[in-house]
Amino acid sequence: MSGQRIDPVTLQVLAGALHAACEEMGAVLIRSAHSSNIKERRDCSTALFDASGELVMQAEHIPVHLGSMPDAVAAVATEPQADGEHWILNDPYRGGTHLPDITLISPVILPAGSSSLPSASPHSGRLARPGPAGARSESGTLIGFAASRAHHADVGGATPGGMPARSTRLEQEGVVIPPTRADDATLAALAEQMRSPRQRLADLRAQRAANLAGIARMRELARRHGSEGLRAGLAEILDYAERRTRAALAGLPDGDGEAEDALEAADGSLVGLRLRATVRGDSLRLDFEGSSPQVEGNLNCPLSVTRAACFYAVRVVCDPDAPPSAGAWRPVEVSAPRGSLLNAEPPAAVAAGNVETSSRVADLAIEALGAFSAVPAQGQGTMNNLTLSSDRFTYYETIGGGQGACADADGPDAVHVAMSNTLNTPVEALEGEFPLRVRELSLRRGSGGAGRHRGGDGIVREIEALEPMGYTLVAERRRLAPRGREGGSEGEPGRDSVNGEAIPGKTEGRLEAGDRLRIETPGGGGHGRPEPATG
């Protein structure tokens, strides 16, 4: 901890201002983007960091983005920084998650010797050397970083959308971007390697606009509080979040909790995962020893994604109202054997790891923490990733399902669960932009598990192709149903079909004009034994 405190009122005002800045960044990104995946589904996230690269505040966007974004900032934080310069990356082994998630990072620098703070300029070119928070150089003071991450509708590669069902190596999934300084020419060159390059470039520029909004707001806070006051405030927000998490963990009994589950590989095999959660005093260790080695398919994920899912689960169970900052993660240690599914090494494919494996890690962590605290039954445990494409368009979406029931409430119906926090694409937007017709969008009645409190129902989404196109489906919980809790029943597993004929949950294929793809998403597990009927 920093050892320096500020008064509680100032702390809350500053935390509120930073949170509002992150939300504004998200609004700029969503309203400026061109692709439906960002402007309609809001598959994007924004955050602010201190000068050392610790996440200080985030908007309430996508958990798997936000929990892993600190590794992206860490990949560039020690480099010399220039005022008005930006960094771009998507390499999962150098701070990214999977290739469609592209991160743009911008340093926030106060010009040296300037009492007034000009607005962010993309071409000022002043350099600030890396150093401790608030470090000064003759070029200016680095006070933090603004960052945005967005899931792009395409990222090059053989399979449109960058979400193949059967990839085995990272380079098969699209363009790999190491941490790179990103000027206009760099962004344009990267976009040209992807499908619909004008739309890709527009979305990247929207991310840059979001970062510039974050830079402007952090500079305003530095003007209001002084650079040293801001530095102390950022440190206190991190320390405050840490204290809250430690207090929550200290309120749990010491001991161990265990959980096991599995993923459904594209070849039909099951890939086992195991977790031991250990609470000792005010700290928590989550150890995935005994989980499967990395596989030939794309269920692998880097450790940053595993940590993101664990941090989400800890926040949900321990203190969901604590400031959403990296301070809350300081008491939590996450480990997984190097070369395992949850700490994969290059060149392992990772497309499904970020979406499907992260969902299962969240399930595992919540179940293991159930040894110490009340937790819900399992939700749908998948994002139901669907990509539709032809030579002239690429469309990607995730589809919600049922959430697990709690001890005191039924599970919500038709929501995005756990690591996804996106929206469904509105029917009007989908049919207006793409050669598709939505034949059914409804609740999957009765798919939630029975119990004293029922699990939430899944979704039925049936889409008709109006011209020939390809499809890719990457989904889970088609064989292993979401579990109930405390005697509650399982939710119904998902199922999928084309023209009434069943298809696997991880598959690729073709649709001709008039073909119908139907996806029925899983329901959530029930909680508690159903009460006996009376009368």
Side-chain angles (χ1 to χ4, degrees):
M1 294 188 181
S2 68
Q4 184 173 359
R5 302 280 177 90
I6 62 175
D7 70 86
V9 174
T10 301
L11 176 67
Q12 292 301 321
V13 170
L14 179 58
L18 290 166
H19 189 267
C22 291
E23 293 288 350
E24 181 183 357
M25 290 171 66
V28 169
L29 174 49
I30 291 164
R31 295 168 78 88
S32 303
H34 284 210
S35 68
S36 62
N37 194 50
I38 301 173
K39 70 181 181 182
E40 300 288 357
R41 293 187 54 252
R42 304 187 180 187
D43 196 344
C44 58
S45 299
T46 53
L48 293 170
F49 297 75
D50 69 10
S52 67
E54 276 203 277
L55 189 153
V56 176
M57 191 60 62
Q58 62 189 36
E60 301 292 355
H61 289 156
I62 313 300
V64 74
H65 286 177
L66 294 161
S68 56
M69 211 185 293
D71 289 288
V73 176
V76 305
T78 58
E79 298 291 333
Q81 305 295 334
D83 184 18
E85 193 170 55
H86 310 275
W87 295 85
I88 190 170
L89 63 87
N90 73 348
D91 187 341
Y93 300 105
R94 299 183 68 182
T97 52
H98 63 178
L99 297 184
D101 285 346
I102 298 178
T103 306
L104 204 69
I105 303 163
S106 308
V108 185
I109 296 172
L110 304 183
S114 174
S115 58
S116 63
L117 303 178
S119 60
S121 166
H123 303 297
S124 59
R126 299 184 183 90
L127 290 176
R129 294 291 168 179
R136 289 190 174 275
S137 73
E138 61 183 25
S139 57
T141 303
L142 176 68
I143 60 171
F145 295 88
S148 59
R149 176 171 286 171
H151 186 116
H152 288 251
D154 190 78
V155 70
T159 303
M163 290 293 294
R166 299 181 181 276
S167 56
T168 59
R169 297 173 68 86
L170 182 65
E171 59 266 25
Q172 297 171 343
E173 297 178 344
V175 177
V176 181
I177 309 170
T180 303
R181 297 182 193 273
D183 57 16
D184 286 339
T186 301
L187 296 182
L190 288 171
E192 285 297 327
Q193 300 177 59
M194 305 170 190
R195 295 169 181 85
S196 304
R198 292 181 63 185
Q199 188 181 78
R200 300 289 77 71
L201 182 57
D203 286 350
L204 290 171
R205 287 173 172 169
Q207 287 186 247
R208 183 173 63 186
N211 287 13
L212 292 176
I215 291 171
R217 296 297 172 254
M218 283 196 78
R219 285 178 168 176
E220 289 173 3
L221 289 171
R223 179 186 298 115
R224 186 180 309 158
H225 300 282
S227 59
E228 283 303 307
L230 178 60
R231 182 201 63 77
L234 300 183
E236 178 59 18
I237 288 171
L238 291 163
D239 290 350
Y240 173 62
E242 178 183 357
R243 291 195 300 272
R244 287 189 56 154
T245 302
R246 288 193 182 278
L249 290 171
L252 301 179
D254 285 0
D256 298 310
E258 297 185 348
E260 293 188 28
D261 211 324
L263 293 158
E264 303 159 356
D267 64 6
S269 63
L270 296 178
V271 182
L273 300 177
R274 180 177 298 168
L275 170 63
R276 177 185 291 270
T278 301
V279 175
R280 294 288 184 270
D282 64 356
S283 64
L284 170 66
R285 175 178 171 81
L286 299 172
D287 184 5
F288 290 91
E289 183 71 39
S291 294
S292 170
Q294 65 188 57
V295 296
E296 277 296 301
N298 58 24
L299 286 168
N300 310 291
C301 63
L303 187 60
S304 61
V305 171
T306 301
R307 283 199 294 254
C310 290
F311 296 152
Y312 160 80
V314 171
R315 186 179 181 208
V316 165
V317 174
C318 290
D319 191 352
D321 297 322
S325 77
W329 310 336
R330 289 173 177 170
V332 182
E333 178 187 356
V334 179
S335 65
R338 182 176 291 275
S340 70
L341 188 84
L342 303 180
N343 188 5
E345 297 184 297
V350 298
N354 182 60
V355 286
E356 300 304 291
T357 305
S358 69
S359 299
R360 193 64 66 256
V361 171
D363 285 346
L364 277 171
I366 290 173
E367 183 176 343
L369 291 172
F372 315 102
S373 181
V375 299
Q378 289 183 346
Q380 70 161 343
T382 178
M383 297 191 196
N384 304 294
N385 304 268
L386 174 64
T387 306
L388 300 166
S389 62
S390 69
D391 291 339
R392 67 184 190 88
F393 80 93
T394 301
Y395 170 70
Y396 167 80
E397 71 174 5
T398 59
I399 306 173
Q403 176 62 287
C406 298
D408 58 355
D410 293 346
D413 301 323
V415 293
H416 286 266
V417 170
M419 302 308 291
S420 173
N421 190 31
T422 60
L423 303 179
N424 292 324
T425 306
V427 172
E428 297 84 354
L430 182 66
E431 294 184 343
E433 186 172 351
F434 303 102
L436 302 166
R437 180 172 293 127
V438 178
R439 286 295 184 176
E440 182 176 351
L441 178 59
S442 64
L443 287 180
R444 188 183 174 201
R445 302 285 183 185
S447 57
R452 183 179 180 88
H453 292 286
R454 288 192 57 85
D457 285 338
I459 287 175
V460 176
R461 191 163 175 86
E462 183 170 306
I463 299 175
E464 179 184 355
L466 301 183
E467 64 183 44
M469 63 186 67
Y471 73 89
T472 302
L473 178 63
V474 178
E476 278 283 326
R477 295 293 191 204
R478 268 40 187 181
R479 286 179 287 157
L480 302 177
R483 297 169 183 164
R485 190 162 183 86
E486 305 296 337
S489 299
E490 296 178 337
E492 286 290 325
R495 58 190 181 197
D496 316 286
S497 62
V498 173
N499 297 330
E501 295 186 9
I503 59 173
K506 295 180 178 65
T507 190
E508 301 177 4
R510 294 286 301 173
L511 299 174
E512 300 301 326
D515 285 349
R516 297 187 183 187
L517 173 63
R518 184 180 179 89
I519 297 172
E520 301 180 33
T521 68
H527 195 290
R529 298 186 183 281
E531 294 182 343
T534 59

